[in-house]
Amino acid sequence: LIDSKGRRKAVKVGSKEAATAKRIELEKALVTGKLNLNPKGESGSVPFKEVAVRWLADHVDLNLKPTSRVRSRTMVEKRFVPFFGDQAIGEITREHVRRFATKLRKEDNLSARTAKIHLVVLGGIFNFAIENGTVASNPVAKPGKIVSVPKGNRPDFLEARETRIFLAAVKAHRPRHYAMFMTAARAGLRLGELRAAQWGDVDWNRGTITIQRNISEGEITTPKSGKSRIVDMTPQLADTLTAHRK
């Protein structure tokens, strides 16, 4: 067997029959996520919460945007650590993860989609542990097989007629916010991008808006994709922004 660092792991057995039986046992453990290549005394015995704290400091705080940092830290502190806590990370199996998923759905009353997001983040901690040589496998791999999200469970976007009705209502009852909602609807800006937009981002001659900033947890960052983009203004949006600027 080969661990995450490319090192060969050997298991000593007796006869050929014993070796075959051991191979079958290991293959079954690999399929079910119960394979542990880190015996006690090796790095796999590190408590889960210790690895999770390192993941927050060495990955989340350095690489993720503010909103994602807050979300990840909340999951670790409110969900992951209370459940896995001092358990050795190398001893956590897919069955443990299934029990955790069941708790999220039945006790915490989370939707299937939200529960799956938790598993994806949890899997990130195990991937971090694999990269550091702490464990050899990820028991949260393929979270969709643990929590199934119905295909129809997707965001319900406004249709064109509904958008027109909504914008008309905003213009009549909240005229101060009309330009903002018009920009969101016609140019597809996210809330953080709207809050960070500046008049200098608008090219009135070309009829475009350059999206190059985002506000997340009070901090100015890059857009969600990490890249700037240019979007076209509809004539209606251009007229609305022109009137709003005066």
Side-chain angles (χ1 to χ4, degrees):
L1 296 171
I2 305 298
D3 69 9
S4 62
K5 286 192 170 183
R7 298 173 302 195
R8 184 175 297 278
K9 291 276 186 175
V11 178
K12 294 183 180 180
V13 294
S15 64
K16 181 177 180 180
E17 290 75 13
T20 300
K22 190 64 179 180
R23 175 181 60 79
I24 294 174
E25 176 187 339
L26 291 173
E27 289 177 347
K28 182 179 180 180
L30 181 62
V31 171
T32 59
K34 297 181 179 180
L35 180 62
N36 177 18
L37 298 181
N38 295 288
K40 287 187 176 181
E42 294 192 14
S43 56
S45 62
V46 177
F48 170 85
K49 68 179 181 181
E50 184 176 320
V51 177
V53 169
R54 290 208 309 263
W55 175 73
L56 289 173
D58 297 347
H59 172 66
V60 173
D61 290 345
L62 297 179
N63 301 309
L64 301 189
K65 293 181 181 296
T67 300
S68 296
R69 293 202 300 265
V70 171
R71 185 188 307 118
S72 298
R73 188 170 297 277
T74 299
M75 289 184 185
V76 168
E77 296 175 352
K78 303 295 185 181
R79 310 279 191 191
F80 301 160
V81 169
F83 188 88
F84 297 106
D86 291 322
Q87 184 175 5
I89 190 169
E91 296 179 355
I92 296 175
T93 67
R94 198 164 182 83
E95 180 58 31
H96 291 119
V97 176
R98 288 187 185 281
R99 293 175 192 169
F100 175 65
T102 298
K103 177 183 181 300
L104 294 179
R105 297 285 281 121
K106 293 187 176 181
E107 296 182 23
D108 299 342
N109 296 316
L110 299 186
S111 68
R113 181 176 297 277
T114 301
K116 183 178 178 181
I117 291 174
H118 276 68
L119 294 187
V120 170
V121 175
L122 179 63
I125 297 177
F126 279 92
N127 287 334
F128 173 80
I130 290 174
E131 292 174 1
N132 291 336
T134 305
V135 296
S137 60
N138 185 348
V140 201
K142 297 182 179 180
K145 292 186 176 296
I146 299 176
V147 176
S148 178
V149 179
K151 292 183 178 180
N153 188 12
R154 296 180 178 179
D156 184 16
F157 297 105
L158 293 179
E159 296 179 357
R161 176 177 172 275
E162 294 172 325
T163 300
R164 289 193 297 270
I165 294 174
F166 171 75
L167 290 174
V170 172
K171 188 173 185 178
H173 301 286
R174 293 289 187 274
R176 178 184 174 189
H177 300 129
Y178 179 65
M180 180 182 71
F181 284 109
M182 173 64 75
T183 304
R186 301 309 184 202
L189 274 69
R190 301 180 177 89
L191 178 58
E193 295 170 343
L194 284 167
R195 295 173 60 198
Q198 300 177 8
W199 286 118
D201 300 330
V202 180
D203 188 326
W204 302 100
N205 294 323
R206 296 184 178 181
T208 62
I209 302 174
T210 300
I211 315 304
Q212 54 190 332
R213 286 175 302 278
N214 178 53
I215 291 182
S216 178
E217 295 296 322
E219 296 182 27
I220 296 180
T221 66
T222 60
K224 185 176 181 180
S225 65
K227 301 178 181 179
S228 62
R229 67 184 189 279
I230 298 176
V231 297
D232 294 324
M233 291 190 292
T234 64
Q236 183 186 22
L237 174 57
D239 291 343
T240 299
L241 291 181
T242 298
H244 183 74
R245 192 184 187 190
K246 292 180 179 179

